[in-house]
Amino acid sequence: MNDGLDRFRAHLFHDEGLGFWLDTSRILWPEGFLDALEPRLQAAYEAMAALERGAVANADENRMVGHYWLRAPELAPDPAIRDAITSTLGRALTFVEDVHAARIRPERASRFRDVLLIGIGGSALGPQLVSAALGSPADRMRVWFFDNTDPDGFDRTLAAIGDALPSTLVVVISKSGGTKETRNGMLEAEAAYTRLGLDFAKHAVVVTGEGSALDAHAITRGFLDRFPMWDWVGGRTSELSAVGLLPAALQGLDVEDMLRGARVMDEVTRSRVTKKNPAALLAAAWLAATGGAGKKDMVLLPYKDRLELFSRYAQQLVMESLGKRLDRRGREVWQGISVYGNKGSTDQHAYVQQLRDGVDNFFVTFIEVLLDRAPRRGDVMVEPDTTSGDYLSGFLQGTRRALDERGRASITITLEALDAASLGALIALYERAVGIYAELVDINAYHQPGVEAGKKAAQAVIELEHRVLGALRAKAGTALSLAEVAEAAGNDDPETVFWILRHLSANPRRAVLRVRNQGDEAGSPLDWTWMMARAT
C-alpha cells in the first residue's frame, strides 16, 4: 500500500491557481524513464520556445504556428500580428454587443436570437465543444451547426431551427474559403433563406482568410461583417481565435475568461522543469504508454456530461497532428495515436468491459470535475449522505482501480470546476502536449498532407461524376453497360464509375435509372445497365 502511495505522491501534479491536477501514477513507467527522457524534453522545450518566437513550423507552406499568441498577443514576433489579434477580438466583441442590443438586426425580425455556425473540422469541433461544455438554457442565443455536407443533416438542422430561421445569424467559417463542405453548407443555408424571401447576406457573417474566395464573396454580397483567420493558426488550434470566440460570445459565454485560462496554462507549460510542466508530463506519459510508436490507443473518459464532446475535439487535435507517415528527416515512421471515447459512467455499461478483460491495446485518460453542480442548486441525497455526484466519483475511482488491477495504464486529469477558464486551460494543455510529443518523436505536428490528399481525391471523383452525367445525357433513353459508361466518360476505373452510378440512381431527381435486365437477380450488380431518363 505504501508503495502505491509513494508512486501516487511521485506522479501527482497540482497547480492551485489553475485548480488543476494531473495524476500519471497509473502509467507503467519503466525504471528511470523520465530521467533518460530529459535531454529530449529539454530539446522539445526549446523547440516550443522557438515556435512562440516565430520559427517556421509548417515547412510545407512556409508558415509560422502561433496559436499561443492568441491569448498572449504581446509574444507575437511582429507588431502587426499583435495588433491584428487585439483589434480582431475587440471588433468581434463589439459586433456581439451590437447583435445582443439589436443594433445589428435581421431583415424581418426584431433581433437575432439563434446562431447557425457552418464549418468543418476544427472550425466546428472547437465551437461545438465549448457550446456544449459551457452552455445553458439562459444563454443569450442558441447555437446550431452545419458540420458536414450531408443533405439530410442540413434538413434536420433547418427543421429544428424551424420558424426561428428569420431571426438566425449565420456564421460561415473557412480559412481558404474553398472548403467544399463549408461552401455547400453555406449554399444550402442561403437556399433556405431564399425560400423565405430573405436576403441571406443580411443574416450572415464570415470568418475567413483575408483575400480568400469567401472573403471576396462576403464583400460582393454585402455580408454583415468579416473576421480574419490567419495562416499561422491551424484549424485544429483555432478555438481561441475568432473561429471559436465569436460564436461563444454570441452564445453569451465568457470568452475573455476562456482566454485567461489558456494564457495561465501556457505560462505553466512553458516551464523547463519537467515535474512542474503538466503538458510535458502528459506527453511523456503518452510516450511511455505507446512506446513512442502509437502501439496503444488513447481512450478519453470524461466523467462529466458537459465534456462528452471532448473526445471528438481531442481526436482531431491529436490524430491530425501526430498521424504522420514521415518524420522530419523523411524517414517512414507511420506515427500517430488513435483516439476514441465518450463519457463516464455511461461507458462502464459499454466498452469498459473490453478495457478490463479484453485486448490490452490502449491507455485511458479519465477527466474528473470536482464540483458536481452549480452551488445554487441543493444536493439531492439518493442514499443517506450520498449524492449522485458521489456515485459518479465512485464509478471513476472504481474503474480506475479495476483497470490498474489488470495492469492497464491510465492517466487522470482533475479540474476543480468546469467553467470558461478551466476549459480554456484544458484546451491549451492538450495543444502544448501534442506539440511536445511531436518533438519527442521527431515529426511535424503542424501540417496535414493526408487531409489534403483526401480532398484532392474527392475532387477527382466529382470531376468524373460530371463526365459520367455528360456521357449519360449524350445517350439519354439508351441503356449503357458499366463498361460503356466508363469508356464514354474517359475513365479506366469502372469501380469508381459504379459507385457514382449507384449513388446517382438512388436520388430520383438526378434522373439516372438502373435497368435490371431479365435474370439480373442471379447476376452481379456490376452487370446492370444504366440510363439517363429522357426529358419530358
Side-chain angles (χ1 to χ4, degrees):
M1 184 68 177
N2 286 337
D3 287 346
L5 184 61
D6 289 343
R7 182 176 66 165
F8 183 51
R9 186 193 305 276
H11 292 285
L12 179 65
F13 172 90
H14 176 222
D15 188 290
E16 190 168 358
L18 277 169
F20 173 86
W21 307 69
L22 173 66
D23 170 23
T24 57
S25 64
R26 302 299 172 103
I27 288 293
L28 309 178
W29 296 101
E31 186 70 29
F33 182 85
L34 277 174
D35 289 339
L37 191 62
E38 188 63 22
R40 290 161 64 187
L41 284 167
Q42 290 299 324
Y45 303 149
E46 178 52 39
M48 299 304 290
L51 196 75
E52 294 193 21
R53 291 193 298 266
V56 171
N58 189 342
D60 294 355
E61 299 169 301
N62 194 34
R63 290 180 179 175
M64 299 181 291
V65 172
H67 47 275
Y68 300 106
W69 309 329
L70 296 169
R71 49 264 196 176
E74 70 278 6
L75 296 181
D78 185 336
I81 294 177
R82 178 195 63 213
D83 293 344
I85 295 169
T86 55
S87 66
T88 297
L89 178 60
R91 281 205 309 114
L93 294 180
T94 298
F95 177 84
V96 170
E97 288 175 7
D98 288 342
V99 169
H100 288 167
R103 288 186 291 269
I104 296 176
R105 65 184 66 185
E107 191 176 6
R108 290 205 308 256
S110 62
R111 64 190 313 115
F112 284 113
R113 301 181 185 278
D114 290 57
V115 178
L116 171 60
L117 186 148
I118 303 176
I120 197 162
S123 297
L125 284 167
Q128 285 171 321
L129 166 66
V130 169
S131 178
L134 302 179
S136 80
D139 290 343
R140 299 295 297 268
M141 301 176 76
R142 294 185 303 173
V143 185
W144 309 87
F145 295 91
F146 280 1
D147 64 350
N148 201 354
T149 184
D150 180 359
D152 182 58
F154 296 143
D155 293 345
R156 290 180 66 200
T157 301
L158 290 170
I161 296 171
D163 293 340
L165 191 64
S167 58
T168 298
L169 175 68
V170 181
V171 181
V172 185
I173 304 175
S174 172
K175 182 191 289 187
S176 67
T179 304
K180 300 303 183 185
E181 296 93 336
T182 304
R183 188 277 313 266
N184 295 351
M186 181 179 70
L187 295 177
E188 292 265 1
E190 183 172 9
Y193 280 85
T194 300
R195 286 193 293 270
L196 295 177
L198 295 169
D199 182 353
F200 178 68
K202 290 183 170 62
H203 304 79
V205 59
V206 298
V207 182
T208 188
E210 293 174 315
S212 73
L214 180 57
D215 196 38
H217 179 72
I219 293 171
T220 301
R221 290 290 310 278
F223 280 26
L224 292 172
D225 214 331
R226 299 151 37 239
F227 296 94
M229 289 182 75
W230 299 291
D231 284 348
W232 40 267
V233 178
R236 57 192 177 276
T237 55
S238 65
E239 172 53 30
L240 297 177
S241 71
V243 167
L245 298 181
L246 178 63
L250 286 165
Q251 188 173 344
L253 308 180
D254 191 342
V255 297
E256 291 178 299
D257 230 24
M258 194 157 58
L259 287 167
R260 181 182 62 80
R263 180 188 180 103
V264 174
M265 180 60 81
D266 285 342
E267 291 168 357
V268 171
T269 57
R270 287 189 188 102
S271 174
R272 300 196 183 200
V273 179
T274 297
K275 290 189 176 181
K276 295 182 178 181
N277 186 329
L281 293 172
L282 193 58
W286 295 352
L287 197 77
T290 66
K295 293 178 181 177
K296 294 194 175 184
D297 301 340
M298 180 189 301
V299 179
L300 289 169
L301 288 178
Y303 276 65
K304 198 69 172 175
D305 285 359
R306 287 179 175 273
L307 289 175
E308 182 178 358
L309 295 183
F310 186 72
S311 60
R312 286 184 58 201
Y313 173 80
Q315 188 175 65
Q316 187 201 15
L317 175 64
V318 173
M319 295 178 71
E320 190 170 347
S321 298
L322 302 182
K324 302 295 160 64
R325 180 173 68 90
L326 303 176
D327 68 10
R328 284 203 176 99
R329 287 176 279 181
R331 298 177 303 180
E332 205 166 67
V333 290
W334 303 103
Q335 272 288 358
I337 303 176
S338 296
V339 180
Y340 63 92
N342 185 13
K343 65 177 182 180
S345 66
T346 302
D347 286 337
Q348 292 184 208
H349 300 270
Y351 57 73
V352 167
Q353 166 64 32
Q354 177 169 312
L355 300 186
R356 188 173 192 273
D357 291 345
V359 59
D360 185 10
N361 63 346
F362 66 92
F363 66 99
V364 171
T365 300
F366 297 101
I367 302 178
E368 175 187 29
V369 179
L370 295 181
L371 182 64
D372 289 336
R373 67 184 352 145
R376 65 180 179 274
R377 294 185 179 273
D379 281 328
V380 175
M381 295 296 161
V382 296
E383 291 176 8
D385 279 339
T386 308
T387 69
S388 301
D390 295 336
Y391 264 107
L392 190 65
S393 178
F395 283 133
L396 185 155
Q397 294 178 59
T399 303
R400 177 176 174 270
R401 177 172 295 181
L403 293 178
D404 190 53
E405 289 171 354
R406 284 283 193 267
R408 308 297 166 92
S410 71
I411 298 164
T412 304
I413 291 171
T414 301
L415 308 176
E416 299 277 354
L418 180 60
D419 53 23
S422 64
L423 184 60
L426 186 63
I427 289 170
L429 171 73
Y430 269 77
E431 287 177 351
R432 182 85 65 169
V434 163
I436 292 173
Y437 183 90
E439 293 297 329
L440 294 177
V441 297
D442 196 27
I443 59 172
N444 185 348
Y446 305 108
H447 68 162
Q448 50 280 334
V451 174
E452 298 307 316
K455 290 179 180 179
K456 290 176 182 176
Q459 188 58 40
V461 171
I462 296 300
E463 291 169 0
L464 175 57
E465 180 179 297
H466 294 163
R467 298 200 302 273
V468 166
L469 285 167
L472 291 172
R473 287 192 184 106
K475 294 192 175 182
T478 301
L480 302 174
S481 68
L482 175 61
E484 288 171 332
V485 176
E487 182 180 2
N491 183 264
D492 58 0
D493 180 12
E495 181 180 332
T496 302
V497 174
F498 175 79
W499 276 66
I500 290 169
L501 289 167
R502 184 176 56 180
H503 176 250
L504 290 171
S505 68
N507 291 276
R509 292 193 177 190
R510 309 309 292 273
V512 174
L513 306 178
R514 187 175 68 196
V515 182
R516 284 182 179 271
N517 298 324
Q518 189 173 6
D520 269 352
E521 290 76 5
S524 168
L526 299 181
D527 296 326
W528 291 342
T529 56
W530 310 85
M531 180 174 65
M532 175 72 74
R534 290 187 184 276
T536 57

